[in-house]
Amino acid sequence: MGLQAPRGTRDILPAERVYWQQLEEAARQILDRAAYREICTPIFEQTSLFERGIGEATDIVGKEMYTFQDRGDRSLTLRPEGTAGVVRAYIEHGLYSQGGVQRLWYLGPMFRYERPQSGRYRQFHQLGVEVLGSADPRADAEVIALALDILKALGLEDVTLMLNSVGDRGDRAHYRQALVDYLTPYAADLDPDSQDRLHRNPLRILDSKDPRTQAIVNEAPRLLDYLSASSQQHFEQVQSLLEELGIPYQINPTLVRGLDYYTHTAFEFQQGRLGTEGTVCGGGRYDHLVEELGGPATPAIGWAMGLERLILLMGDRPAVPSSVPHLYVVTRGSSAERQGLVLAQQLRHQGYIVEVDLSGSSFKNQLKRANRSGATHCLVIGEEEAAAQTVQVKWLASGEQEQVSQADLLSAAGRSRLFGEQ
């Protein structure tokens, strides 16, 4: 067998790329209208950024990162998620000094060494937003509302918002001890991963997918019962705002998310058709991360969407190709081929989508491809047309055609939309 893409990676071929383009365009329009600005960060960072930001006790840092030494003997890691890099850029470039709230969004590949399965890859893509500089519950409600807007714009109406509060550091410290005290007598009955997490990261046991562990967790103390008055007030305000926005939600007291930096609000949008991998968007508040990475105290909240999972769901309905040509250029003979290329480029400059047949095959075969292309018109230049500087304009649906000079065609096409929509 010849060369193949590495395990856990995949090629996105043109027919599928149409869905990606629609997703990206929908997200860009919605986020632009909410005054979010795009930020791009490197796909690799210093390893210490993720160790400090995500947490050394997490599965991501402990098991899933792609880490390597570069030629300068520096430890670098392909980014496993987007928030840490955005926060690093926020600090490094002093965005906090601009005052007010920074509303940022990003889109790009992430990398985790996980067992590949449907909708989960070792190189995957995330769309994410980060709001830095606001502790207001309205920020929580805004990012949740925007996520729902994007999902609905993609035709994904049947999603469920799962909501929880993980409190602040003090709340979690009290709860962590209560959870360990409860789980310790059941240690031998927990799945191996949960046994390992019991003293390293016990909150992660709450979202174990192991049935036996789930049955034990169902009787565990609830984090919501350990919230301080201020944490409880923040959570109630978020719920009230979601209700004002008409966004339904379900409280899930075991929802903790997989990263150590979360505080207060944690949420996921889930879609049942994806089974156990049903989370299509997840996020929460992280009020201490900027400070922990060396910046000023800055409350923040954000989310990320896994694009591969969204594409799986979007694939249930037909995509509308984004680059169907208005015109297909058919030529025969060296002079005609040169003129066809020049004419196509001039029409492209006027805003038309033009495909030139480069096969050099017979007129018959080129016209077959023109009919399959989706174009409304075909421009035919043979040796006679090339000598006379003319072109045959053919309506592909009816088969009618008309000969015009190339100059007149360009002039008329520039004055009005002769072919398709701009």
Side-chain angles (χ1 to χ4, degrees):
M1 186 175 291
L3 292 173
Q4 294 181 315
R7 176 170 163 78
T9 67
R10 61 193 291 269
D11 301 306
I12 303 170
L13 301 179
E16 183 187 346
R17 182 61 188 157
V18 173
Y19 293 102
W20 291 74
Q21 292 166 346
Q22 292 176 1
L23 189 159
E24 293 164 13
E25 181 58 26
R28 187 179 298 276
Q29 288 182 5
I30 288 167
L31 294 171
D32 280 352
R33 288 198 295 265
Y36 283 65
R37 300 180 298 161
E38 186 175 9
I39 184 171
C40 299
T41 62
I43 64 168
F44 60 87
E45 300 267 6
Q46 295 180 47
T47 302
S48 59
L49 171 66
F50 302 116
E51 291 174 341
R52 292 169 59 189
I54 298 173
E56 294 190 60
T58 61
D59 286 352
I60 293 175
V61 172
K63 301 177 181 179
E64 299 171 2
M65 294 203 313
Y66 280 92
T67 297
F68 60 96
Q69 300 293 123
D70 73 357
R71 292 174 184 251
D73 202 32
R74 293 171 286 257
S75 181
L76 301 174
T77 296
L78 298 179
R79 62 185 183 191
E81 57 92 50
T83 298
V86 171
V87 170
R88 190 266 311 147
Y90 175 82
I91 297 168
E92 180 178 344
H93 300 286
L95 298 184
Y96 52 84
S97 65
Q98 298 177 11
V101 175
Q102 290 286 325
R103 288 177 166 90
L104 305 172
W105 71 274
Y106 62 86
L107 185 150
M110 311 292 162
F111 305 85
R112 295 184 194 176
Y113 190 86
E114 296 186 286
R115 182 172 64 86
Q117 53 188 282
S118 178
R120 176 187 285 180
Y121 300 93
R122 291 175 177 173
Q123 176 179 315
F124 58 99
H125 298 76
Q126 284 187 342
L127 165 70
V129 305
E130 314 291 352
V131 176
L132 299 113
S134 175
D136 196 308
R138 288 178 298 168
D140 307 40
E142 177 176 283
V143 299
I144 290 171
L146 290 173
L148 184 58
D149 285 347
I150 292 171
L151 295 172
K152 286 185 174 181
L154 302 176
L156 307 179
E157 299 281 349
D158 51 344
V159 292
T160 302
L161 171 60
M162 310 300 291
L163 191 68
N164 193 25
S165 173
V166 296
D168 209 335
R169 289 167 167 168
D171 306 338
R172 283 202 310 283
H174 290 120
Y175 176 67
R176 184 184 190 279
Q177 188 58 53
L179 184 61
V180 170
D181 291 344
Y182 167 78
L183 291 173
T184 298
Y186 299 100
D189 299 317
L190 300 174
D191 63 274
D193 281 345
S194 294
Q195 290 177 10
D196 181 59
R197 292 167 176 160
L198 182 56
H199 294 288
R200 291 193 311 114
N201 196 356
L203 269 67
R204 291 289 288 130
I205 299 174
L206 297 177
D207 60 4
S208 169
K209 302 299 187 290
D210 179 79
R212 193 170 180 181
T213 300
Q214 282 184 328
I216 295 170
V217 164
N218 286 340
E219 303 300 322
R222 295 181 359 135
L223 200 161
L224 291 175
D225 295 331
Y226 287 77
L227 297 182
S228 65
S230 60
S231 294
Q232 184 65 42
Q233 182 183 33
H234 184 98
F235 191 42
E236 289 172 354
Q237 289 178 321
V238 171
Q239 293 174 68
S240 176
L241 289 165
L242 292 175
E243 289 160 11
E244 295 238 10
L245 291 167
I247 299 175
Y249 60 88
Q250 295 180 20
I251 301 294
N252 180 353
T254 65
L255 174 61
V256 294
R257 306 287 302 150
L259 308 175
D260 279 359
Y261 53 61
Y262 282 118
T263 58
H264 297 298
T265 307
F267 62 91
E268 291 181 350
F269 282 95
Q270 297 180 354
Q271 213 290 334
R273 280 181 286 161
L274 293 175
T276 59
E277 296 300 322
T279 300
V280 293
C281 175
R285 183 165 279 284
Y286 52 96
D287 289 345
H288 305 296
L289 181 59
V290 176
E291 190 173 8
E292 288 171 354
L293 294 179
T298 306
I301 187 168
W303 53 251
M305 291 182 180
L307 300 195
E308 279 77 4
R309 294 180 186 178
L310 293 179
I311 298 299
L312 272 178
L313 296 170
M314 292 174 66
D316 291 348
R317 56 192 175 88
V320 179
S322 58
S323 58
V324 172
H326 299 129
L327 301 161
Y328 193 96
V329 179
V330 168
T331 56
R332 188 74 174 160
S334 59
S335 181
E337 288 170 354
R338 289 194 297 272
Q339 288 184 24
L341 183 64
V342 171
L343 183 63
Q345 193 68 357
Q346 291 170 320
L347 288 164
R348 289 166 182 158
H349 291 164
Q350 294 181 359
Y352 296 96
I353 302 172
V354 186
E355 181 175 349
V356 178
D357 193 303
L358 301 175
S359 68
S361 58
S362 66
F363 272 135
K364 180 180 178 181
N365 287 335
Q366 290 187 58
L367 287 168
K368 285 182 180 178
R369 282 190 286 272
N371 280 298
R372 291 197 299 265
S373 72
T376 57
H377 295 76
C378 180
L379 305 182
V380 182
I381 304 176
E383 292 180 353
E384 292 184 8
E385 288 82 9
Q389 296 279 303
T390 60
V391 58
Q392 294 283 347
V393 180
K394 183 172 183 177
W395 282 256
L396 288 170
S398 65
E400 296 180 17
Q401 63 185 55
E402 177 184 359
Q403 181 168 295
V404 298
S405 75
Q406 294 177 26
D408 287 347
L409 176 72
L410 288 169
S411 177
R415 290 196 305 271
S416 62
R417 298 305 299 174
L418 294 181
F419 314 105
E421 297 297 326
Q422 188 167 17

